[in-house]
Amino acid sequence: MSAPRTVVLIACSSRKLGRPDRAERLYRGTLFRASLDWAHSKDPDAICILSARHGLVDLDQEIAPYDLTLNKLPVDEVRAWAENVFRQLTSRFDPRRDRFVFLAGERYRRFLVPRLAHVELPLTGLTYGQQVSWLQGKVARQRQSPPQSGEEVSDACQVLHEWANSLPRQRFPLEMSRVPANGLYILFEHGEQAHGGDRIVRIGTHTGDGNLPARLREHFETENKDRSIFRKNIGRALLANEDRELLEQWNRDLTTRAAREHHGATVEGNALKEVEARVSAYMRERFSCVVYEKTGRDDRLRLEQGLIGTVANCPGCKPSGSWLGNRSPIDAIRDSGLWQVHHLSARPFSAAEVAAMSRSGNMKPRPTSNPRQAHSPAERTRRKGKYGPLKAYLESASNSVSMAFGEVERVLGAPLPASARDYRPWWANHEGANKSPQSRAWQDAGFRVASVRLGHAGSVRFERVGEQGPRHKASHDPDRAMRVQACTHGGRARRFVWLLDDDTLDIESESGMSHSYTVREVLTILQMLHAHFRDNWFPLANNVEKLYHGTERYGLGGAIHQQRPGDTLHAQGASYLGVVLEQAGIFEWNGKAREIQWRIRRMPENETSLLSSLTSVPHSDESGQQRV
């Protein structure tokens, strides 16, 4: 069987020669010429033109000028045009195996993309001018030598990463009082590493005076993809391999009233809201942020471009295999390893320029309430101590964190001592001046060890001080003693109890393992599953090893894991949570002990509706009496 082919499809342009000619010379539009140059630079197996009049056209096919565009045709006529083009494509290419790269607008793609198995949309989300700039920049970079060697860029990027990693770090919810009115922001993403620290995945600034806090709010707080290209790009990557029709809707800009009225009949509002919730959950859990004060507009714009160019051209800043951006339909994101498409071809800073910036004080961190902030990685490690990374990890965590010992070691970047696996007092919550270094780390973060399971495959559960497990709460509050008895499915069925504590669902297995989920978190999980599967079956999918390596198929476990990336024990609670939601009438089980699957039987509209479903499940008090 022959290898799959790559086919580039370019939309025609309104500007044409005034006489018949070969198609590649007939169309004179600036975007068309830039698209054609880019396509040639990629050396694909075929380049074809999508003509509003002739359908699929070869570059050497001679045609006469005409005046017709799909943008002004009724939808039925566009659909008929696409049907004809699809017939032409299938007569020459394999729609199931070949790769189709579209350099064309939404109308030219709309009815073709859903029928092709492998599609790339490198220009998605860019304005006309941005498309031309991106295409021309790509071609220019390929034709010219870089201003510095890869080694020089890497040296400069090393210094930039050390500086950025030394700045005071924030995670959601951001403390806007610590954000300057004007400056740049630099983002890191969980699991991405470069130059001995966290890898920079986005650099941004603002144009309006005093708008840096507002810009960060648009990214992390305001659930509106059309106000943040960053959010839109995250959503594109999440949807790329899931739902192409919904991806097309997500790509549409609905900012203006005219756009909303025009696309109103073709947009699923509730589905887009669910995607917004998924994007928020991903960003708030995965990203951390540092800010750098820079008051002058021109200065910060120049600095932004140089920083982006340095990171984008650094040979040492490669994304991990599990990076979400690898799924992006936008070439610029996949190629650069950055969540952005602008300034990627900007001239990188040289090592001398970075050194000069450092000496001039331009790289100096903004003063904070922590005057002892370290600047070099070695100094930061010395001051934090071996267990400093665990403290930092817990400071950004929720109220209850369950971690396998292997996960603790990955956070620390070093192995635990043998006594941690064999000696329970190693995990003691010491008091007074004689605290152990490890106990000081989690207690300084506001946590205590609630339970520990020893052994090579052991685990530990941390709880924020003032937050305690289900058994303790039930014994002190008669209302909390009303628990629901349940049992997991599968060959090794396990009994467990669950209860609601205000807005938190607490689960405790017969072996003493606990899992906690807020009602809001459960609703987000349901919204993600509904957006992905609708009313179809989905798997349990909570294999710890596969979740860690990113090879687990998507299902209930994966949706939970996205709420706390890296906390695989939290995701392992899927076998319990699925049964709870089944008891609440939200899930339907497929009845199988192996290959367990559920589907959403009834989707709660909001947190109140979900809470009502959970509280309506019959439960029993400590005497065994059934209550509702």
Side-chain angles (χ1 to χ4, degrees):
M1 182 180 292
S2 60
R5 293 167 292 180
T6 297
V7 183
V8 179
L9 301 173
I10 305 174
C12 61
S13 70
S14 58
R15 285 179 56 200
K16 304 175 183 70
L17 289 174
R19 54 179 171 75
D21 205 334
R22 288 161 49 101
E24 64 179 335
R25 290 199 294 258
L26 179 77
Y27 299 102
R28 307 308 300 167
T30 303
L31 179 57
F32 177 87
R33 306 311 304 177
S35 298
L36 187 60
D37 287 345
W38 181 87
H40 280 307
S41 73
K42 292 297 184 180
D43 193 24
D45 296 285
I47 301 174
C48 297
I49 298 170
L50 297 174
S51 165
R53 172 63 56 83
H54 303 287
L56 195 68
V57 174
D58 288 322
L59 297 183
D60 58 0
Q61 183 176 335
E62 186 168 310
I63 56 178
Y66 59 89
D67 184 16
L68 182 66
T69 173
L70 293 189
N71 295 328
K72 296 181 180 179
L73 293 181
V75 173
D76 289 344
E77 293 185 32
V78 176
R79 185 182 286 108
W81 173 88
E83 188 65 37
N84 177 55
V85 172
F86 184 72
R87 284 195 297 268
Q88 293 175 296
L89 284 173
T90 54
S91 68
R92 300 173 53 185
F93 309 108
D94 187 342
R96 295 166 299 179
R97 298 184 66 244
D98 292 337
R99 168 177 168 251
F100 297 89
V101 182
F102 280 81
L103 303 179
E106 190 268 341
R107 283 233 161 182
Y108 288 80
R109 308 186 312 256
R110 182 173 178 183
F111 299 109
L112 288 173
V113 168
R115 304 178 71 174
L116 303 172
H118 305 287
V119 171
E120 292 185 17
L121 308 172
L123 302 180
T124 300
L126 304 183
T127 65
Y128 178 90
Q130 291 168 350
Q131 292 178 34
V132 173
S133 176
W134 184 84
L135 291 165
Q136 292 176 341
K138 281 289 185 180
V139 174
R141 284 178 63 191
Q142 186 166 322
R143 291 174 178 170
Q144 300 173 359
S145 299
Q148 297 94 32
S149 69
E151 184 177 354
E152 287 178 315
V153 176
S154 182
D155 288 344
C157 198
Q158 171 79 37
V159 178
L160 290 177
H161 271 78
E162 289 183 0
W163 162 67
N165 275 273
S166 75
L167 293 173
R169 187 79 64 94
Q170 286 206 59
R171 293 171 175 81
F172 185 85
L174 302 179
E175 296 180 39
M176 290 304 172
S177 61
R178 295 175 55 194
V179 177
N182 298 289
L184 293 90
Y185 63 87
I186 298 175
L187 299 183
F188 306 96
E189 189 169 352
H190 180 78
E192 296 299 308
Q193 299 288 307
H195 298 296
D198 292 337
R199 182 173 74 86
I200 295 171
V201 297
R202 182 176 172 87
I203 299 162
T205 187
H206 57 100
T207 54
D209 186 55
N211 282 348
L212 181 56
R215 195 75 190 114
L216 289 172
R217 288 191 181 97
E218 287 175 343
H219 291 330
F220 288 93
E221 297 179 10
T222 305
E223 295 193 340
N224 184 344
K225 62 181 176 59
D226 295 324
R227 297 295 300 275
S228 165
I229 189 61
F230 182 28
R231 290 184 64 86
K232 184 170 274 189
N233 283 331
I234 295 291
R236 286 167 176 154
L238 290 171
L239 293 172
N241 299 331
E242 298 178 7
D243 191 328
R244 286 184 180 168
E245 183 177 346
L246 189 58
L247 176 58
E248 285 288 321
Q249 296 180 34
W250 180 260
N251 285 330
R252 294 171 191 154
D253 190 332
L254 304 176
T255 303
T256 66
R257 180 177 179 180
R260 291 192 294 272
E261 291 176 349
H262 178 73
H263 295 294
T266 61
V267 170
E268 301 175 62
N270 290 335
L272 291 181
K273 288 181 181 178
E274 291 171 3
V275 179
E276 292 278 14
R278 289 180 62 189
V279 170
S280 293
Y282 185 88
M283 292 180 63
R284 294 168 185 177
E285 290 290 340
R286 302 286 294 186
F287 290 96
S288 56
C289 172
V290 299
V291 292
Y292 173 57
E293 187 169 22
K294 198 71 175 174
T295 55
R297 178 181 183 275
D298 292 342
D299 286 344
R300 63 175 179 266
L301 291 177
R302 282 195 294 268
L303 183 57
E304 178 199 34
Q305 292 180 22
L307 291 175
I308 293 173
T310 303
V311 178
N313 290 279
C314 176
C317 288
K318 300 299 182 184
S320 68
S322 60
W323 184 52
L324 178 64
N326 294 329
R327 294 164 47 186
S328 173
I330 300 176
D331 280 355
I333 290 175
R334 297 197 309 274
D335 293 347
S336 68
L338 294 172
W339 287 110
Q340 49 205 147
V341 298
H342 302 307
H343 312 311
L344 300 177
S345 57
R347 186 182 69 82
F349 287 131
S350 67
E353 286 173 314
V354 174
M357 290 169 61
S358 178
R359 286 194 302 270
S360 68
N362 289 341
M363 305 277 289
K364 186 177 180 180
R366 181 173 184 259
T368 70
S369 58
N370 182 10
R372 300 180 60 190
Q373 181 69 38
H375 290 263
S376 72
E379 178 68 7
R380 292 197 310 276
T381 300
R382 184 186 70 80
R383 291 186 178 183
K384 288 181 177 179
K386 177 179 178 180
Y387 299 101
L390 178 61
K391 174 179 178 289
Y393 179 85
L394 291 174
E395 283 176 336
S396 63
S398 57
N399 290 334
S400 179
V401 181
S402 295
M403 303 176 71
F405 288 165
E407 290 177 301
V408 176
E409 291 176 328
R410 285 190 288 275
V411 168
L412 295 175
L416 287 166
S419 55
R421 285 181 160 81
D422 303 328
Y423 188 54
R424 191 174 298 275
W426 192 92
W427 297 97
N429 299 297
H430 294 131
E431 300 295 338
N434 295 321
K435 290 181 180 177
S436 62
Q438 66 271 19
S439 177
R440 181 176 292 108
W442 64 68
Q443 290 191 52
D444 285 354
F447 280 78
R448 57 184 290 276
V449 170
S451 63
V452 62
R453 184 177 62 190
L454 300 178
H456 180 73
S459 62
V460 58
R461 178 164 58 86
F462 299 100
E463 287 184 347
R464 195 174 295 279
V465 174
E467 300 288 334
Q468 298 174 323
R471 180 183 294 129
H472 183 87
K473 284 181 277 193
S475 63
H476 285 77
D477 188 339
D479 291 334
R480 301 288 182 255
M482 298 178 184
R483 305 175 171 197
V484 180
Q485 307 287 333
C487 185
T488 62
H489 303 307
R492 293 186 300 166
R494 298 180 294 275
R495 295 183 180 278
F496 68 96
V497 295
W498 63 270
L499 59 88
L500 282 169
D501 178 40
D502 294 330
D503 64 345
T504 301
L505 171 65
D506 286 323
I507 297 171
E508 184 175 307
S509 71
E510 58 186 355
S511 63
M513 183 63 71
S514 297
H515 299 276
S516 295
Y517 307 92
T518 65
V519 172
R520 183 174 186 177
E521 180 184 13
V522 175
L523 182 62
T524 300
I525 292 167
L526 290 171
Q527 290 171 337
M528 294 169 67
L529 291 170
H530 187 260
H532 191 105
F533 297 101
R534 295 293 192 272
D535 57 353
N536 297 315
W537 295 99
F538 51 83
L540 173 61
N542 68 336
N543 183 288
V544 168
E545 188 67 20
K546 291 182 177 180
L547 284 169
Y548 171 66
H549 289 289
T551 58
E552 178 63 288
R553 53 188 174 163
Y554 191 66
L556 180 56
I560 298 175
H561 192 242
Q562 286 185 337
Q563 310 309 302
R564 298 188 198 171
D567 190 350
T568 51
L569 286 181
H570 186 58
Q572 225 183 355
S575 56
Y576 302 102
L577 181 59
V579 172
V580 173
L581 294 174
E582 183 187 330
Q583 289 181 315
I586 295 170
F587 278 1
E588 177 185 353
W589 174 42
N590 67 349
K592 296 181 180 180
R594 301 185 64 181
E595 293 298 320
I596 295 171
Q597 290 186 318
W598 284 284
R599 64 181 174 190
I600 297 178
R601 176 181 174 188
R602 177 172 51 81
M603 182 66 195
E605 295 182 1
N606 48 42
E607 292 180 39
T608 302
S609 175
L610 173 58
L611 194 60
S612 176
S613 297
L614 292 170
T615 55
S616 66
V617 177
H619 50 266
S620 58
D621 58 21
E622 293 180 328
S623 67
Q625 293 292 110
Q626 288 287 317
R627 300 186 180 184
V628 177

